[in-house]
């Protein structure tokens, strides 16, 4: 299974909105709604921010939202804050009991 | 506090073996699907393996199939990863993670992660 495609980096200013894309294929993102997003600060374990494409776990800010169209999932963050600066990873069930992650996107808050 | 704590990492020579453990606390470990995920230095996350609550459903990434074995001891609230025939490319921080799913369904979404344990394969 090939990794999902994410932009290497995105940036935005405080208060702005940004969107991170996650492109897969018809065998993973396009076929299943088991898409998740994780936030990872340096030296820390990842934190789940979105699951099943658009659901937020309890305690996650409503500034995080997820969506999917075809083979591409997206994570949108509104009202950017300095503490949002981190690496973000998407993942998708890929059939045949496989799970694939994206290569990660580094978010810089300017 | 709901928690996962990994142990067992270290330096091992190519071809060697290592057994990782992940101790769970403050939740009903026996109800949840569990996973191992790894992250090579400076690289992204890679899924390694999945096991259901009673160990009757187990899956592996192709890169570790035949070399790694996931297991669990629900009486001890502990998840394991036996790693054999280790290669340099297995060098990574290994995380155990709890799936949102319980019973017969999994979400492949991980709401609780351990702090990770480093495995270095080098001569």
């Amino acid at each position: 299974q090939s990794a999902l495609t994410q932009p290497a980096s995105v940036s935005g200013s405080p208060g702005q909105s940004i969107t991170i894309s996650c492109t897969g294929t018809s065998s993973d993102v396009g076929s299943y709604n088991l898409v998740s997003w994780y936030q990872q600060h340096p030296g820390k374990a990842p934190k789940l921010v979105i699951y099943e494409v658009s659901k937020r776990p309890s305690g996650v800010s409503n500034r995080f939202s997820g969506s999917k169209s075809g083979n591409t999932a997206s994570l949108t963050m509104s009202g950017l804050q300095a503490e949002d600066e981190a690496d973000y990873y998407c993942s998708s069930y890929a059939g045949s009991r496989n799970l694939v992650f994206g290569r990660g996107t580094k978010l810089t808050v300017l | 506090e709901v928690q996962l704590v990994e142990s067992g990492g270290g330096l091992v020579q190519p071809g060697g073996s290592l057994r990782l453990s992940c101790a769970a606390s403050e939740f009903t470990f026996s109800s949840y699907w569990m996973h191992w995920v790894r992250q090579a230095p400076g690289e992204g996350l890679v899924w390694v393996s999945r096991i259901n609550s009673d160990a009757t459903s187990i899956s592996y990434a192709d890169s570790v199939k035949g070399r790694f074995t996931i297991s669990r001891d629900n009486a001890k609230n502990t998840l394991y990863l036996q790693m054999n025939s280790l290669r340099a490319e297995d060098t990574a921080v290994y995380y155990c993670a709890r799936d949102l799913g319980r019973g017969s369904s999994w979400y492949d979404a991980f709401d609780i992660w351990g702090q990770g344990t480093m495995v270095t394969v080098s001569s």
Side-chain angles (χ1 to χ4, degrees), chain B residues 36-40 44-46 48 63-64 68 89-90 92-94:
Chain B
W36 287 98
V37 177
R38 69 185 182 184
Q39 186 170 33
L45 302 171
V46 175
V48 172
S63 58
V64 306
F68 289 12
E89 54 264 36
D90 295 319
V93 172
Y94 283 74

Side-chain angles (χ1 to χ4, degrees), chain A residues 39-47 82-88, chain B residues 95:
Chain A
Q39 175 192 65
Q40 186 179 34
H41 288 106
K44 301 293 188 181
K47 173 188 175 183
E83 56 262 37
D84 297 332
E85 184 162 295
D87 293 327
Y88 290 83
Chain B
Y95 294 100

Side-chain angles (χ1 to χ4, degrees), chain A residues 34 36 38 40 44-46 48 51-52 89 91 93 97-99 101, chain B residues 39 43-45 47 50 57 59 95 100 106-110 113-114:
Chain A
L34 295 179
S36 300
Y38 300 88
Q40 186 179 34
K44 301 293 188 181
L48 179 67
Y51 68 99
E52 287 190 290
Y89 295 91
S91 71
Y93 180 66
R97 299 181 180 272
N98 288 312
L99 171 66
F101 279 94
Chain B
Q39 186 170 33
E43 301 294 325
L45 302 171
W47 175 75
R50 177 196 302 110
S57 178
S59 305
Y95 294 100
L100 284 174
W106 76 91
Y107 289 78
D108 275 350
F110 313 142
W113 294 68

Side-chain angles (χ1 to χ4, degrees), chain B residues 13 16 36 42-43 48 53 62 73 77 81-83 87 97 100:
Chain B
Q13 292 188 337
W36 287 98
E43 301 294 325
V48 172
S53 57
D62 288 344
D73 186 335
N77 291 334
L81 185 68
Q82 177 66 44
M83 304 186 295
R87 307 165 180 168
L100 284 174

Side-chain angles (χ1 to χ4, degrees), chain B residues 47-109:
Chain B
W47 175 75
V48 172
S49 184
R50 177 196 302 110
I51 187 169
N52 71 336
S53 57
D54 63 2
T56 56
S57 178
I58 288 174
S59 305
Y60 299 98
D62 288 344
S63 58
V64 306
K65 204 171 293 183
R67 300 187 300 122
F68 289 12
T69 301
I70 191 173
S71 63
R72 64 192 297 161
D73 186 335
N74 287 340
K76 295 183 178 179
N77 291 334
T78 303
L79 177 73
Y80 302 101
L81 185 68
Q82 177 66 44
M83 304 186 295
N84 298 331
S85 303
L86 282 162
R87 307 165 180 168
E89 54 264 36
D90 295 319
T91 295
V93 172
Y94 283 74
Y95 294 100
C96 63
R98 187 182 81 171
D99 197 294
L100 284 174
R102 288 178 274 186
S104 60
S105 299
W106 76 91
Y107 289 78
D108 275 350

